[in-house]
Each structure stands twice: as C-alpha cells, then as structure tokens.
Amino acid sequence: MFSKILIANRGEIACRVITTARKMGIATVAVYSDADARAPFVKMADEAVHIGPAPAAESYLIPEKIIAACKETGAEAVHPGYGFLSERASFVDALAAENIAFIGPPAPAIAAMGDKIESKKLAREAGVNVVPGFVGEIRDTEHAVEISDDIGYPVMMKASAGGGGKGMRLAWSEKDVREGFEATKREGLNSFGDDRVFIEKFIENPRHIEIQILGDKHGNVLYLNERECSIQRRHQKVVEEAPSPFVTPKMRKAMGEQCVALSKAVDYHSAGTVELIVSGADPTGESFYFLEMNTRLQVEHPVTEAITGIDLVEQMIRVAAGEKLAMTQDDIGIDGWSIENRVYAEDPYRGFLPSTGRLVHYSPPVEGWSDDGEVQGKARRGVAHGSGSIRVDDGVFEGGEVSMFYDPMIAKLITWAPTREEAADLQIEALDRFRIEGLGHNVDFLSAIMQHPRFRSGELTTGFIAEEYPDGFEGAFADEALQRQLAALFAGAEFTQQVRARRISGQLNGCDNPPSRWMVTMDGRSFDVLLETGGATVDGEAVSGTWDWEVGMPIAQVTGDNEMAVQIKRAGVRWRMTTRGASHEALVLPADLAPLTQHMIEKVPPDLSKMLICPMPGMLVKLHVGEGEEVQPGQPLATVEAMKMENILRAEKEGTIASINAQEGESLAVDAVILELE
C-alpha cells in the first residue's frame, strides 16, 4: 500500500480524497494555485505545494508541475479527482515514466474512451447499444448541415473530447446547426484542446442513466448499480439519485452486463462510469444506448456509496496498489435510497446566470468534513438524522471566494433514507438550513425540485427543467396554508423587533408594548394578522405554532402545524424570509397605520430597455454588431463567456446601435453596459 499520495485537484473532491486517505493511514499532498492558497483542502492535507497562478491552464493543467510536486514531497501515487488531468492519457504515461502510480484506469483505456468518436466504435464492437449518428470527421458547417439532414432532427452536436456539459449543442433545425456548430468547436478547443465535433440523433423524452463500474488489475470488473441523472440544465447535472425510479432489476442486469463487457474490452480497472441514454417512452427498458464512458470518479459518486456501503475512493487506491477486489457481483446490493443535489453559484431568479464573488456567510446544514463520516457502517453516509442521514461534500469556507477560474459548484448535499420519499423530504429540510450569502445560489431551486409533483412521481427526463420552468424560476409555489403561516411569522418578527427596541425608551416606567394586530403585505397581497399566545389568526383562520427566533438570529425553527426551518433577516423597512424553496419579502405595519400606505408615492424604476446589460461576470468574446447598425428582435448582439460557457446576448426589440461601451476581450462585471440603442 502507498504511504503518501498527491491529489492533483482542488475543492471538494480534493477534500473527499484526503478524507479517505486519512482513514487508510496514508499521508496526503495537496497542490494549489494562487486562488486556492487559503482553501480548506490545502489545510486538510499533510503537505501542500504551490503550483502557479489562478488560471487552471497555468497550474492544475500542467503535468510537469504535478510531477515536480511528487518528486519534491516523495508522493508515490497521484489521485486526479475529476476534471483537469483526470482523463488525459499522456499524463498517465508521464507519471509511469517517473515510476509514479496513477490512481485511475490505464492510459490505453482513457485514450479509447476519452475520444467520443472512437469510443462509440468500440462500444458497437463490444455489443453495446449505440445511438445512431455520424462519428467521422466533419469538414465544416455545410458538412454538418448535410449530416444533420440525413440523421433527422433533432440532433446533438458534441465536442469529441467534451465532458461536464461543455461543448454540447442541441439543434432542432438547419438554422440551429449553422449557428451552433462553430461555437461547439470553439468550446471544445478552449476547454479540452480539441475542436473535433460529432453529431448524433437526439433521443426525445430521454432519461440519463449511468452505471458505476469498478474493476481491478486481475481481470475482475463489477457494476455497482445505476444512478439516475436526468435532471439537468444545459447538459450539466443538477440532481442525481441511486437507484433510479425507472430501472427494473431486469434492466439493471442488462445495462450492467453490457457496461462490464465494454470495460473488459479495453482492459479497464479502477472506478469508471458508463453513461447511457434511455428512452422514457419505452416501458420495457430495452431502448437504452451508450453515450460515453467517463474514465474517472464521477461528481455524483456519493449516492452509490450511500446505497452500497462501498467507499469508491478507497477502492481506487487499493486497485492502484495492485490489490484484488474484495467483493463479487453477488455482494453488490441496494440499501435504501440516496439523492444528491449540486449547490451551484448561479442565480435561478436571473435565468441561472453564473454568480461569482465572496461567501459573506456560509453555513451548511451539517459540517462538511467531520470525523462523523461513517454512520451505521456505511461509507461516508453522513451525519445521522432521524431514520436517515445528511452528508455535505464541500471545498469552500466562509469568507472565501467563488472565482471565475473554476467550476461554480459550492457543495454537494447528499441524503440517505430507507425510501425515496424520505430521502427527498430530508433534502428539503437540509436545504432550508443551507445558509449562503454574498452571491447568487440555487438552493431555492433545488428545494422546489424536491417538492415538485413530477419529481415525486419519478417521471423524469432530461427536459424536466425546461419543461417545468419554461419561463424561468420565480420560487417554489406556496399554498394558502403556508402563506398564512409565513404572514404570521412576519408579524411575529416585527412584534419581537419592536418589543426589543422599546426596552430602551428613555422613560422611567418604560413604554407600551407594540400592537397585536398587523397588516402583512407579501407576494402582492395583504394578510390581516392577529398575534395570540401559541399562534395567530390570519384572515380569520387559526394558525398554531411557535418558533425560537430572537432578534439577530439568521435561522429559526418553527413548530406547530407545519414544522420547518426559516431563514430571516431585515431588508430595509421590509423583512425577507426564505424557506421551502422560495424567498418572500413582506412589509409589516400596525393594522391601524397600514391604510396610510396608499398615499405614498411609488418610485418609478429607470428605463433600461435601450441598454444591453451584461447579465453575469464574464469576458466579452465577440461583438456581433457595430455603431449605427440596425438590429431586429432576436438578433445576436454580443457573446459573453462565463465559467467556460459561451452565452449569446440577443436584441429584445428593433433599434439602431447608438454606442458601443465595451471591447472584445474585456472582462465585464455584472450589469455592465455593453452597448446602447437609440
């Protein structure tokens, strides 16, 4: 067994690998860039080596710097995590040349599966179902149009070396191909150094299901059940669960055996994942097709660990050290249900735009990397909570920064429970207690998904988000009972605040208590609230319950008709409360003063319709228009790159370009004015 390993990665996955290595008695080495000097993974490791500036291309993506760090510290092996160098065969060869072990699959397997064009040919030869498409070299846009016309729309254009949702575009028509082909090539070149693109048929109503593979160097390969990853946005996974509510034992066996056959065809060892696209319209489960094989650990691996009790990182280390797998296929079972939500630095209320900045407040529902990582004998199942458990994998800290240089994921929230319903309920409860301030985040959106009737029914497809939130996200629906309870809480907060303020009255005999009757204006409507002992009356309806909130507390626990956690703070003259997947603002006034608000002058917001405003921090990659040019609605005006994704900003109305306020290559702040129309 190794005595010291180096983790060639950052953030939560670096913390994850260090945690298991520590449990195995293996010393760890972290490598870090300028941007990560104060990061938690650097402090967790036994040693840390600085490897360069913040951009990954100047630090984490340079093999020579990783190898030099191994030599400097005496590390015998490298765990690559995911992303960066994890699927670069040349890196594995370079390590081998220096007699340093790679904690992952062999270089030929990485090369074979990393090329999406070649991998499809291998999959077909191994007897694996493959999606119809064109896997040869595409000369130019015209050739791409011809191929797409032959296959039949819709088609998916994918960068051959792509992954993580990058370098992918869905085309419903020839126009989409002409607009998106070159952009797909650019994203592939910028993110992976390879501009080759392939085109395949897009399966409508698809489910994204993947099989976890684990093999050793002695020819043994197992499948560790499946994960459902259908809930995605822009081809980036948002929610994952294990097992899948769609997969039957017969399907699981058929999928698993095909994926094992593919793995053996390339002499695979270590952990890996075969991604499949499954037709949700086919209840037989026979319509499943090979998408790609990820020759590394997956972001969503914790849900598999939770239902199998197998620590995948530990197994990767043991396999790399030459050990045989200690289990057989018959030993792989399914215990309970696990769900993972990815907490991203993005603003769902503004079209899911990337959000970078400082974490002014960061407090997860349970500590991310405590020693209490193993509950009921399960591999890092998490902190026990009732009949289930909650686990948080993170790599950030309060006061730290989510920068533009790396992935926008803040943390992964994993729950385990005996049933799917209980695991989802536990997610909602934990998300209510996830406190993040300083930048936009998707916690409300994740909670809304967990509550959604379609999610609860298990009727999932990769189009879930686009279909259920076609006009964007405005917060989870709050029924009448919840709205009345929130109104009562808002009134209670104002009452408590005023009681505290009146304690300093300047009078010997104190001051009168505030009134018990309030008018709460929330979500465009008003509620008449009468506060009482042990509850309130809201619009004539009794609302029972109490809470433990005191002035200054950011989170309170509500008991009564509907037990829940709420996050609350004062926002000017209003209150803001977040719970159950939505944020609510309210103006609370004594009932006798509330009618006077009709005499207040409403502030008119400025007219921004003539300006093209940058909706996110990013780089202006291209200006599509010039001064004096006439534009039509829907016409591309500018392309902004954020988090390595290109975003096309289009004209919302007809007009003429009056002035250009930014230049190509310029870094823009959110709400920066790019150009103005006249």
Side-chain angles (χ1 to χ4, degrees), residues 612 622-625 631 635-639 649-651 657 675:
L612 179 65
K622 187 174 180 59
L623 277 168
H624 300 278
V625 293
V631 297
Q635 181 178 338
L637 300 180
T639 299
L649 308 182
R650 302 176 184 274
I657 305 299
L675 57 81

Side-chain angles (χ1 to χ4, degrees), residues 273-285:
T273 296
V274 180
E275 299 198 351
L276 306 170
I277 190 166
V278 183
S279 173
D282 183 3
T284 67

Side-chain angles (χ1 to χ4, degrees), residues 581-601:
S583 297
H584 306 266
E585 279 198 359
L587 177 65
V588 185
L589 295 170
D592 57 340
L593 297 180
L596 299 178
T597 58
Q598 62 183 309
H599 302 295
M600 297 180 67
I601 299 174

Side-chain angles (χ1 to χ4, degrees), residues 10 35 54-56 84 356 402-407 643-644:
R10 62 176 300 280
F84 295 147
T356 58
V402 177
S403 75
M404 63 180 287
F405 298 106
Y406 311 120
D407 187 271
M643 300 293 185
K644 298 184 180 179

Side-chain angles (χ1 to χ4, degrees), residues 440-623:
H441 58 81
N442 66 339
V443 167
D444 284 357
F445 180 64
L446 297 174
S447 181
I449 292 176
M450 295 295 99
Q451 300 172 62
H452 200 289
R454 182 173 162 188
F455 173 79
R456 291 290 180 144
S457 71
E459 297 297 320
L460 310 178
T461 70
T462 56
F464 177 93
I465 291 176
E467 292 160 8
E468 298 303 325
Y469 303 96
D471 301 320
F473 179 69
E474 297 179 355
F477 172 74
D479 60 22
E480 284 291 324
L482 180 56
Q483 288 188 52
R484 286 194 295 270
Q485 186 172 28
L486 291 173
L489 293 173
F490 276 124
E494 182 68 25
F495 180 89
T496 303
Q497 173 98 340
Q498 290 204 18
V499 166
R500 184 174 183 271
R502 294 182 187 203
R503 288 175 184 166
I504 306 173
S505 64
Q507 301 177 40
L508 290 175
N509 59 351
C511 186
D512 293 338
N513 280 331
S516 297
R517 193 170 212 99
W518 301 86
M519 184 64 70
V520 178
T521 304
M522 175 186 71
D523 298 339
R525 57 180 290 194
S526 296
F527 299 84
D528 179 40
V529 181
L530 176 63
L531 296 176
E532 300 165 320
T533 303
T537 299
V538 182
D539 291 343
E541 296 281 342
V543 176
S544 66
T546 59
W547 64 345
D548 60 358
W549 185 76
E550 294 181 6
V551 176
M553 289 176 55
I555 300 178
Q557 182 65 39
V558 179
T559 58
D561 291 340
N562 186 16
E563 294 194 1
M564 59 186 179
V566 297
Q567 298 188 36
I568 181 170
K569 67 177 180 179
R570 189 80 168 180
V573 297
R574 298 174 179 270
W575 290 93
R576 185 177 182 86
M577 196 176 297
T578 303
T579 189
R580 291 298 188 264
S583 297
H584 306 266
E585 279 198 359
L587 177 65
V588 185
L589 295 170
D592 57 340
L593 297 180
L596 299 178
T597 58
Q598 62 183 309
H599 302 295
M600 297 180 67
I601 299 174
E602 186 175 348
K603 183 177 180 181
V604 179
D607 181 15
L608 302 177
S609 62
K610 294 183 179 180
M611 301 178 183
L612 179 65
I613 295 175
C614 188
M616 77 215 85
M619 179 180 291
L620 181 57
V621 176
K622 187 174 180 59
L623 277 168

